[in-house]
């Protein structure tokens, strides 16, 4: 796929002689992988954002690094660099958060299934984390909003297309969910109750898929959009 | 499995986790480890939170007791033998299974295992060790395990615990012997400190000996102190922390605002947990560990309590106005770290960035500096940007406004805090 630099003046303090003006997205991705850590750290996850200009912006950062030997943080005054750094920071934060917040449901047939939604397209880094952590489990990780799913088996990732409904949850699953919900309520110290702090750490948007908050989302008022609600009414009401 | 049929598993876990929840330690950080072959689980050096309970605290580990039977009678403890509460004990296999099943559903990062003292410390430690060993060996569990050492446990039990756990802790609870005599006559301060020292030396030996292999409590040792149940001053509390960090290399000291669980004439009744005081202690603790402050700078014999109105760094700055303004284009790390609103990360970023050109307020903000506090204590290229003069009473007024609004008290158990 060819990529044209449409809006040049935005990027006017870089030198374009280093990369040809027609450079493919794949080539940019390759360049990112080859870049030193200080640049890679900023750009590697940046491409997970849904933004039209992301390749252009990535290219800009790569070029100003190779030309002036400036690591991105040193150019934080530049609006593009700042935007990229800031966005990457939120993407990393969200990946980290979701690593803790995905909930796997054991379904018949020996699979563990985890649905989630997120602001960025983070299913691959998330799946890698769980592939490393649970190498002997068979996992299905499902980004509901983007309608993408990944199947993980023995550390390998495969793309999944759903043709049928998921199998139902196992008997064990019901039991451990019940046990976990009890634990979650029980561990709170009443005298210290602080819902504001809880929401600060665990914004409502993350609570949808947590079984310990289920009661709230079954009532329906927390759903961001119709798609989510629909998905849940089709697939989730067997609980 | 036998476990499914037992509704009393739920009941047991309810009783045992209720008994464990007053221990505030929750970190799952400090070791980075990959999964073992054929096993399950890994750890991340930064730790990972899996949920938050309605008191706002993070849930990272399954925190529970092996048993809440206890032959001791510590006045502040819900499990003391005098209390008539439901008692139970969980079998090692059963607890290991629960941990494993929670872990593979990604509810938790691992296990935090404590216990009351059933018969004697060694017998109880044996049960706890069985749980941990079943997890490690049978389930090939490679996630995080935090294990308590019970006061009075023998060397062998301590060694075994270190071998199989990632973090070890024993709670000192109070910083003076007199509090122990009053509230926990079966324990004493010296004995607990000695146990900590012993843990430290055994751990170091095991790490050298085992090279890369084994768990060896690599994430170190932590402890907890109860705040507000006894008359100790902030200075006394932090003095002990400073000693523990410097002399026994503790990784973390947790402060736990006292929650009155028992009616006892030696204890304050009907008080609200002193959360703000707890918060200030964490801030001071952070200043000592990451900001190169010494305790004597923050508190003196004559002034042994932290201010409630200001965080300890702002208090220090207001009383040392002659130290300021700090010139950002020239200051060294030590000076930068003294500025309210600049944290260790932003300080290092400033050092790296100023070589490349002039720093301005907008840049500082982008680097993570809290401008509304820092602005009164710095100059940039000789220019001062505060809207009032650097004068004690004017600053007092300005800072008391911006201080209280955004602070969220009670969030320092786990995460790195915002720059102070
Ligand atoms: S020994 Fe521990 S469990 Fe027993 S009463 Fe004292 S603090 Fe509570």
């Amino acid at each position: 796929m060819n990529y044209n630099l449409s809006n040049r003046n935005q990027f006017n303090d870089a030198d374009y002689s280093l990369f040809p003006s027609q450079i493919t997205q794949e080539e940019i991705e390759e360049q990112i992988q080859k870049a030193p850590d200080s640049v890679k750290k900023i750009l590697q996850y940046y491409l997970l954002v849904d933004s039209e200009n992301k390749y252009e912006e990535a290219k800009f950062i790569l070029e100003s690094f190779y030309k002036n030997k400036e690591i991105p943080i040193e150019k934080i005054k530049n609006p593009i660099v700042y935007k990229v750094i800031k966005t990457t920071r939120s993407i990393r934060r969200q990946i980290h958060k979701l690593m803790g917040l995905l909930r796997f449901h054991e379904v018949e047939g020996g699979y563990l299934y985890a649905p989630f939604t997120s602001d960025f397209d983070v299913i691959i880094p998330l799946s890698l984390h769980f592939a490393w952590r649970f190498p002997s489990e068979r996992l299905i990780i499902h980004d509901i909003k983007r309608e993408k799913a990944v199947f993980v088996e023995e550390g390998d990732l495969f793309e999944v297309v759903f043709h049928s409904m998921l199998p139902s949850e196992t008997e064990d699953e019901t039991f451990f969910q019940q046990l976990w919900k009890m634990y979650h309520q029980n561990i709170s110290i009443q005298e210290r109750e602080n819902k504001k702090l809880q929401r600060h750490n665990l914004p409502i948007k993350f609570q949808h898929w947590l079984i310990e908050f289920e009661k709230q989302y079954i009532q329906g008022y927390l759903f961001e959009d119709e798609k989510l609600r629909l998905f849940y009414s089709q697939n989730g009401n067997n609980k | 499995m036998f476990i499914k049929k037992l509704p009393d598993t739920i009941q047991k876990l309810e009783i045992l986790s209720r008994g464990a929840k007053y221990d505030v330690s929750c970190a799952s950080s400090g070791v980075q480890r990959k999964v073992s072959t054929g096993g399950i689980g890994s750890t991340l050096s930064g730790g990972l939170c899996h949920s938050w309970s309605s008191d706002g605290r993070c849930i990272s580990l399954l925190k529970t007791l092996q048993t809440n039977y206890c032959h001791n009678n510590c006045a502040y403890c819900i499990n003391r033998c005098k209390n008539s509460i439901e008692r139970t004990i969980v079998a090692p296999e059963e607890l290991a299974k629960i941990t494993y099943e929670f872990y593979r559903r990604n509810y938790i990062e691992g296990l935090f295992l404590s216990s009351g003292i059933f018969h004697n410390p060694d017998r109880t430690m044996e049960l706890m060790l069985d749980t941990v060993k079943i997890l490690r060996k049978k389930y090939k569990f490679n996630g995080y395990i935090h294990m308590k050492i019970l006061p009075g446990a023998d060397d062998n039990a301590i060694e075994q615990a270190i071998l199989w756990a990632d973090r070890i802790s024993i709670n000192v609870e109070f910083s003076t012997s007199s509090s122990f005599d009053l509230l926990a006559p079966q324990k004493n301060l010296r004995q607990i400190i000695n146990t900590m020292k012993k843990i430290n030396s055994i751990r170091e030996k095991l790490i050298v000996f085992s090279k890369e292999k084994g768990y060896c409590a690599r994430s170190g040792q932590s402890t907890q102190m109860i705040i507000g149940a006894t008359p100790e001053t902030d200075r006394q509390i932090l003095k002990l922390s400073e000693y523990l960090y410097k002399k026994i290399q503790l990784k973390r000291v947790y402060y736990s605002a006292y929650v009155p669980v028992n009616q006892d004439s030696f204890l304050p009744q009907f008080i609200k947990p002193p959360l703000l005081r707890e918060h200030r202690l964490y801030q001071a603790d952070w200043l000592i560990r990451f900001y190169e402050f010494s305790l004597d700078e923050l508190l003196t014999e004559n002034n042994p309590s932290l201010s409630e109105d200001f965080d300890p760094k702002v208090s220090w700055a207001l009383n040392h106005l002659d130290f300021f303004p700090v010139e950002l284009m020239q200051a060294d790390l030590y000076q930068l770290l003294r500025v309210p609103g600049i944290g260790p990360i932003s300080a290092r970023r400033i050092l790296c960035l100023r070589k490349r050109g002039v720093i301005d307020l907008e840049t500082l903000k982008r680097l993570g500096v809290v401008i509304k506090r820092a602005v009164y204590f710095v100059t940039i290229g000789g220019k001062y940007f505060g809207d009032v003069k650097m004068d004690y009473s004017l600053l007092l007024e300005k800072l008391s406004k911006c201080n209280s609004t955004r602070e969220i008290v009670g969030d320092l158990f786990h995460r790195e805090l915002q720059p102070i």
Side-chain angles (χ1 to χ4, degrees):
Chain A
M1 194 187 307
N2 276 333
Y3 203 73
N4 255 320
L5 284 176
S6 49
N7 189 359
R8 265 178 170 252
N9 18 352
Q10 235 190 52
F11 301 93
N12 54 11
D13 56 337
D15 181 344
Y16 295 104
S17 60
L18 291 158
F19 297 133
S21 63
Q22 302 251 310
I23 175 170
T24 63
Q25 296 186 353
E26 285 77 16
E27 281 166 333
I28 292 179
E29 277 164 26
E30 213 172 281
Q31 287 297 329
I32 291 175
Q33 291 311 318
K34 277 193 223 150
D37 282 353
S38 60
V39 179
K40 205 164 149 184
K41 202 174 136 203
I42 306 292
L43 289 181
Q44 198 178 22
Y45 290 112
Y46 184 63
L47 297 181
L48 304 178
V49 72
D50 304 317
S51 140
E52 281 181 15
N53 293 333
K54 60 186 177 188
Y55 284 96
E56 243 169 290
E57 287 155 349
K59 184 180 167 198
F60 171 74
I61 286 182
L62 282 168
E63 283 184 327
S64 59
F65 173 77
Y66 284 112
K67 189 194 162 207
N68 307 324
K69 286 278 163 262
E70 280 173 331
I71 54 173
I73 187 90
E74 293 176 340
K75 278 183 69 79
I76 201 163
K77 255 187 175 170
N78 179 301
I80 298 169
V81 179
Y82 179 49
K83 182 184 151 204
V84 173
I85 289 181
K86 219 171 69 178
T87 314
T88 303
R89 223 178 270 159
S90 1
I91 298 175
R92 282 174 171 275
R93 215 177 296 140
Q94 194 157 102
I95 294 174
H96 189 82
K97 200 126 217 178
L98 287 167
M99 280 178 179
L101 295 183
L102 246 57
R103 293 287 177 266
F104 286 95
H105 301 237
E106 191 183 65
V107 293
E108 296 294 349
Y111 298 96
L112 289 172
Y113 170 71
F116 74 100
T117 52
S118 63
D119 304 329
F120 309 103
D121 190 5
V122 295
I123 194 165
I124 298 298
L126 265 184
S127 303
L128 283 172
H129 166 76
F130 289 106
W132 289 325
R133 175 163 281 198
F134 303 132
S136 40
E137 301 279 2
R138 298 199 286 174
L139 312 171
I140 303 167
I141 297 171
H142 188 177
D143 181 339
I144 303 289
K145 201 158 104 190
R146 292 183 176 73
E147 295 177 340
K148 272 186 181 179
V150 168
F151 174 56
V152 184
E153 187 171 32
E154 292 184 7
D156 291 327
L157 272 53
F158 305 93
E159 212 178 307
V160 187
V161 184
F162 287 106
H163 291 298
S164 57
M165 291 278 284
L166 277 164
S168 57
E169 289 176 356
T170 60
E171 219 178 298
D172 267 11
E173 179 60 27
T174 319
F175 174 76
F176 285 108
Q177 285 192 10
Q178 202 187 343
L179 193 61
W180 170 245
K181 278 186 227 169
M182 178 283 297
Y183 176 77
H184 183 264
Q185 275 189 4
N186 196 41
I187 203 71
S188 172
I189 299 176
Q190 271 158 20
E191 292 85 344
R192 300 182 63 114
E193 177 153 309
N194 191 345
K195 286 261 165 76
K196 196 172 140 206
L197 179 58
Q198 185 188 30
R199 258 199 313 281
H200 170 81
N201 286 317
L202 187 56
I204 304 275
K205 66 174 176 191
F206 288 117
Q207 295 181 11
H208 298 306
W209 306 102
L210 300 182
I211 53 171
E212 60 267 32
F213 291 94
E214 199 169 42
K215 252 202 229 99
Q216 298 174 32
Y217 69 76
I218 273 184
Q219 290 167 7
Y221 63 91
L222 289 177
F223 290 101
E224 286 171 22
D225 58 38
E226 199 55 9
K227 199 153 83 188
L228 274 180
R229 203 187 56 74
L230 260 177
F231 171 81
Y232 208 75
S233 62
Q234 283 162 10
N235 297 291
N237 54 8
N238 55 345
K239 279 188 211 134
Chain B
M1 269 288 311
F2 64 94
I3 199 166
K4 192 160 51 188
K5 288 157 235 130
L6 299 175
D8 74 59
T9 299
I10 297 189
Q11 225 173 4
K12 268 188 215 167
L13 191 66
E14 194 174 351
I15 294 168
L16 294 174
S17 60
R18 194 186 302 137
K21 71 179 170 191
Y22 298 98
D23 201 304
V24 294
S25 141
C26 74
S28 56
S29 54
V31 266
Q32 180 96 21
R33 187 174 56 234
K34 286 195 199 126
V35 70
S36 58
T37 32
I40 176 173
S42 54
T43 58
L44 302 171
S45 63
L48 196 58
C49 299
H50 285 258
S51 194
W52 281 266
S53 50
S54 54
D55 51 15
R57 298 189 303 159
C58 115
I59 299 176
S60 181
L61 305 173
L62 169 62
K63 194 181 288 182
T64 183
L65 306 175
Q66 190 82 47
T67 174
N68 65 340
Y69 286 105
C70 190
H71 69 203
N72 277 359
N73 196 38
C74 309
Y76 51 85
C77 175
I78 190 172
N79 305 314
R80 62 175 178 171
C81 60
K82 211 170 113 187
N83 286 3
S84 59
I85 51 169
E86 278 178 292
R87 308 265 174 185
T88 187
I89 186 163
V90 60
E93 170 64 46
E94 194 176 358
L95 184 52
K97 169 87 172 158
I98 297 173
T99 309
Y100 170 76
E101 293 291 346
F102 274 14
Y103 190 79
R104 61 192 279 269
R105 287 169 174 75
N106 204 37
Y107 300 165
I108 52 169
E109 206 50 20
L111 176 66
F112 173 106
L113 185 54
S114 180
S115 188
I117 299 171
F118 181 55
H119 289 309
N120 62 57
D122 290 329
R123 178 82 195 280
T124 318
M125 286 290 292
E126 219 171 278
L127 279 172
M128 295 164 73
L129 282 164
D130 281 347
T131 307
V132 171
K133 285 184 200 168
I134 292 174
L135 259 176
R136 292 290 196 214
K137 290 181 180 166
K138 179 173 163 193
Y139 292 100
K140 301 207 166 53
F141 176 77
N142 213 24
Y144 201 86
I145 296 182
H146 178 148
M147 225 184 128
K148 282 263 159 233
I149 301 290
L150 304 178
D154 72 9
D155 289 12
N156 185 37
I158 295 179
E159 191 178 313
Q160 286 295 309
I162 295 174
L163 266 179
W164 293 101
D166 291 292
R167 174 161 285 185
I168 291 294
S169 66
I170 178 165
N171 286 351
V172 3
E173 312 288 18
F174 305 109
S175 53
T176 57
S177 313
S178 51
S179 295
F180 272 94
D181 296 342
L182 199 62
L183 300 176
Q186 286 116 324
K187 301 179 183 172
N188 79 69
L189 184 59
R190 168 136 313 141
Q191 185 203 0
I192 290 177
I193 302 250
N194 283 340
T195 310
M196 287 176 158
K197 285 185 185 157
K198 198 189 288 167
I199 293 172
N200 210 25
S201 66
I202 297 181
R203 183 178 157 262
E204 270 163 22
K205 241 182 278 159
L206 285 176
I207 287 183
V208 173
F209 185 70
S210 73
K211 301 215 178 74
E212 289 300 294
K213 280 191 256 114
Y215 300 97
C216 297
R218 272 176 221 277
S219 143
Q221 204 185 149
S222 69
T223 192
Q224 161 177 307
M225 277 188 254
I226 298 176
I227 307 305
T230 47
E232 278 105 339
T233 62
D234 293 341
R235 189 179 149 85
Q236 281 171 316
I237 292 166
L238 288 167
K239 187 119 200 144
L240 180 59
S241 306
E242 201 182 34
Y243 171 83
L244 296 174
Y245 285 131
K246 294 221 165 101
K247 292 282 159 22
I248 320 188
Q249 280 83 48
L250 252 74
K251 274 284 166 59
R252 270 305 285 278
V253 176
Y254 290 88
Y255 307 96
S256 170
Y258 174 65
V259 177
V261 288
N262 298 328
Q263 306 280 322
D264 199 297
S265 55
F266 295 127
L267 284 167
Q269 296 296 315
F270 311 116
I271 57 157
K272 281 218 169 105
L275 295 178
L276 184 57
R277 184 173 175 207
E278 177 193 277
H279 185 75
R280 293 283 180 249
L281 282 165
Y282 277 113
Q283 289 179 316
D285 180 285
W286 245 260
L287 290 179
I288 292 171
R289 285 192 297 149
F290 305 123
Y291 289 74
E292 302 185 35
F293 274 86
S294 72
L295 175 59
D296 292 335
E297 287 177 293
L298 299 174
L299 294 169
T300 57
E301 297 283 358
N302 297 328
N303 179 21
S305 310
L306 295 164
S307 150
E308 298 229 318
D309 301 331
F310 296 104
D311 72 58
K313 196 177 182 188
V314 168
S315 302
W316 182 87
L318 285 172
N319 291 318
H320 295 83
L321 284 180
D322 50 334
F323 186 87
F324 299 100
V326 165
E327 169 53 51
L328 290 189
M329 297 307 287
Q330 267 141 35
D332 58 19
L333 183 64
Y334 172 86
Q335 289 168 315
L336 290 176
L337 286 176
R338 300 261 143 176
V339 177
I342 297 185
I345 297 177
S346 41
R348 286 180 178 88
R349 285 185 185 152
I350 291 172
L351 289 176
C352 144
L353 240 83
R354 70 180 181 199
K355 286 180 259 160
R356 287 277 175 174
V358 187
I359 283 180
D360 54 25
L361 283 187
E362 184 54 30
T363 312
L364 286 180
K365 206 166 165 189
R366 292 180 178 188
L367 294 179
V369 174
V370 185
I371 298 292
K372 60 180 185 219
R373 260 177 279 153
V375 77
Y376 301 110
F377 299 96
V378 299
T379 53
I380 306 174
K383 198 162 179 280
Y384 175 76
F385 293 90
D387 55 356
V388 295
K389 269 202 318 223
M390 246 185 61
D391 167 85
Y392 181 81
S393 52
L394 293 174
L395 288 186
L396 200 68
E397 200 195 314
K398 278 279 165 193
L399 289 162
S400 59
K401 272 190 201 131
C402 73
N403 206 28
S404 53
T405 44
R406 262 206 54 207
E407 265 186 296
I408 302 183
V409 169
D411 196 21
L412 302 178
F413 295 114
H414 188 84
R415 306 253 101 210
E416 290 277 321
L417 68 164
Q418 304 275 315
I420 320 180

